[in-house]
Amino acid sequence: MILVKKFSFEAAHNLTKYHGKCEKLHGHTYRLVVKIEGPLNEEEMVMDFVELKKIVEEQVVSKLDHSYLNDMFDQPTTERIAIWIWSQLSKEMEKRGVRLHEIELWETETSGVVYRGEKV
């Protein structure tokens, strides 16, 4: 079964290796969708939504919200940020007997990435 929880955070960046309007400083309201896969536990849940929220907020949202992403990433594309989010969450999920199935990271209403931990 796959459990899904949505989050959001505000952040600014500029793409230094890109030639176009996104090379200028700008911000987004990012939307993050975290999908966890696992069997039902003794409480008949994959994971408690409260526990998942706490982990994602501590490991990801608190570090990215209202930040200048260029301070954390060389080239803060949505793709690079998604890979970082995966690295922050995958081991935390394994400790709890579930697996990070997929994350979606949307930088606008119509533009985002889906990442499943594959090598890039």
Side-chain angles (χ1 to χ4, degrees):
M1 186 168 291
I2 298 172
L3 184 86
V4 178
K5 186 138 181 75
K6 295 179 181 180
F7 302 87
S8 66
F9 59 92
E10 309 284 340
H13 70 153
N14 59 294
L15 302 179
T16 58
K17 298 178 185 176
Y18 177 79
H19 302 293
K21 69 180 188 176
C22 290
E23 66 187 313
K24 295 180 182 176
L25 178 62
H26 63 284
H28 297 286
T29 299
Y30 288 88
R31 304 285 185 241
L32 172 63
V33 180
V34 177
K35 299 178 184 181
I36 305 302
E37 183 176 8
L40 298 182
N41 62 23
E42 63 280 348
E43 295 175 321
E44 302 297 322
M45 301 176 184
V46 174
M47 175 183 260
D48 185 338
F49 285 118
V50 173
E51 182 181 10
L52 179 56
K53 178 181 179 183
K54 182 179 183 221
I55 293 165
V56 174
E57 287 184 349
E58 286 177 2
Q59 298 296 318
V60 175
V61 175
S62 69
K63 297 173 183 175
L64 298 178
D65 192 36
H66 286 80
S67 70
Y68 176 53
L69 296 172
N70 292 67
D71 288 342
M72 293 180 64
F73 305 95
D74 236 8
Q75 176 75 341
T77 61
T78 304
E79 294 88 342
R80 299 305 312 167
I81 299 165
I83 292 167
W84 179 84
I85 292 170
W86 185 275
S87 72
Q88 297 299 110
L89 295 178
S90 60
K91 288 188 175 110
E92 288 296 320
M93 296 307 135
E94 289 173 15
K95 289 179 192 175
R96 289 158 175 83
V98 295
R99 187 178 79 77
L100 188 55
H101 174 74
E102 172 180 282
I103 61 168
E104 296 178 21
L105 183 61
W106 296 85
E107 71 173 31
T108 70
E109 195 67 30
T110 60
S111 301
V113 298
V114 175
Y115 187 62
R116 296 185 181 112
E118 60 273 2
K119 301 287 183 207
V120 290

